[in-house]
Amino acid sequence: MKQQPEMGMNRTGVQMSPVDTTSMQSAHPTLVTPVPPGDESALAEMRSRYINEADGLGSVPVPGTIHGAITTGVSMLTGNKPQLLLDKLGERLAFERTGTRLYDALITKFTALQDDSTSMTLADLQKIRDDEVRHFRMMASAIETIGGDPTSQTPCADVVGVESQGLMQVLTDPRTTIAQSLHAILVAEMTDNVGWEQLIALAEDQEQMSLITDFSVALDEERAHLQQVQRWYEEATFGRSISDGAVVDDVSDMNTSAPLH
């Protein structure tokens, strides 16, 4: 498989058929599908009606155990919002599960193509994949620690599941190159870094100090993943690394205790 794009018979642009384009643009109005009058206001109005009438994506389940009920009740009595933390923990759990599957797909593609356009190795990919599995298990344990059910799908977990479908489609498409696949992985890693930073800030806000140490280790590992993936993507795309870790430096400089939005 070619790793660099080639010039070919791409017929998607109008310049590929100038005669037909001119004919179409100069056609008699009766021969052309008329453009209806108006704008998108009617569409916006309909969407607004649906938005105002719609229920939410779901809910955070009530604790199903005595331990969970006590833990959640105590947290709420102290003014915290355990349902928010449980929702964001569910989000990270779902994303780490997807991350594992993304790297499984990349490992398959890398092995099949025997690509040598980057410094990436199978051992590198397997290590990151194993980190994602460990982070997933860490999330499941954290959810149980504060009284939640890691098998439930929270609203934010639902959202990231939908968001990541496109990334998975890129990785599993047999036509995509290593460079294109790494671009999708890069999107996932950048999102993952921000997600961990916000989760640490939320845990600090809700005084869940026992969770922060493990979360901070995971964030450091995700930052290392981002740096590696960015380098591989640049090598596959440009033939060399051009950023020297600039993106990771920017992410590392972000204040993990910044307020959530």
Side-chain angles (χ1 to χ4, degrees):
M1 178 185 290
K2 300 290 186 180
Q3 291 301 313
Q4 297 297 329
E6 295 181 338
M7 291 291 185
M9 293 304 295
N10 184 330
R11 299 182 177 88
T12 58
V14 297
Q15 293 180 1
M16 294 302 295
S17 185
V19 174
D20 291 332
T21 301
T22 301
S23 176
M24 180 182 67
Q25 292 175 336
S26 61
H28 191 277
T30 60
L31 301 178
V32 180
T33 302
V35 178
D39 52 26
E40 296 182 357
S41 57
L43 179 60
E45 181 181 351
M46 182 185 68
R47 286 175 174 168
S48 297
R49 187 164 62 250
Y50 278 116
I51 290 170
N52 291 326
E53 295 175 355
D55 295 326
L57 281 176
S59 61
V60 177
V62 296
T65 64
I66 295 176
H67 165 71
I70 294 174
T71 302
T72 301
V74 170
S75 181
M76 295 181 74
L77 287 173
T78 58
N80 291 325
K81 296 181 179 179
Q83 69 276 17
L84 176 58
L85 181 57
L86 284 168
D87 192 18
K88 301 308 285 186
L89 287 170
E91 175 188 289
R92 294 262 48 77
L93 182 143
F95 203 89
E96 296 303 314
R97 179 174 56 236
T98 297
T100 301
R101 293 170 177 170
L102 288 172
Y103 277 100
D104 281 338
L106 182 58
I107 287 171
T108 298
K109 179 160 291 186
F110 179 74
T111 303
L113 294 178
Q114 294 293 307
D115 178 75
D116 61 357
S117 63
T118 73
S119 58
M120 178 171 62
T121 68
L122 186 59
D124 292 329
L125 294 178
Q126 189 64 53
K127 180 185 181 304
I128 296 179
R129 188 264 183 196
D130 292 345
D131 286 346
E132 300 295 334
V133 173
R134 184 160 38 79
H135 296 168
F136 168 81
R137 291 173 177 164
M138 179 197 305
M139 285 296 96
S141 177
I143 291 170
E144 290 178 333
T145 297
I146 64 173
D149 182 355
T151 66
S152 62
Q153 178 162 286
T154 68
C156 282
D158 196 352
V159 169
V160 298
V162 175
E163 289 175 342
S164 59
Q165 286 179 2
L167 300 178
M168 184 60 71
Q169 288 175 350
V170 172
L171 267 295
T172 56
D173 191 321
R175 301 168 298 176
T176 54
T177 65
I178 289 294
Q180 291 161 345
S181 299
L182 285 169
H183 184 272
I185 292 284
L186 184 60
V187 171
E189 289 292 359
M190 293 176 74
T191 302
D192 210 12
N193 272 254
V194 174
W196 279 103
E197 289 168 347
Q198 289 191 335
L199 188 59
I200 291 172
L202 182 58
E204 290 177 341
D205 184 63
Q206 300 209 8
E207 300 179 347
Q208 294 288 343
M209 309 310 292
S210 62
L211 303 178
I212 293 176
T213 299
D214 287 342
F215 290 179
S216 297
V217 171
L219 175 58
D220 287 341
E221 291 173 339
E222 293 295 352
R223 285 171 172 166
H225 297 173
L226 176 58
Q227 185 175 24
Q228 285 181 294
V229 171
Q230 182 181 354
R231 182 175 67 253
W232 296 335
Y233 169 67
E234 291 173 353
E235 290 171 351
T237 304
F238 309 112
R240 61 188 177 88
S241 179
I242 62 175
S243 64
D244 297 323
V247 168
V248 175
D249 290 341
D250 291 341
V251 173
S252 301
D253 289 341
M254 295 177 66
N255 184 357
T256 57
S257 60
L260 300 180
H261 299 289

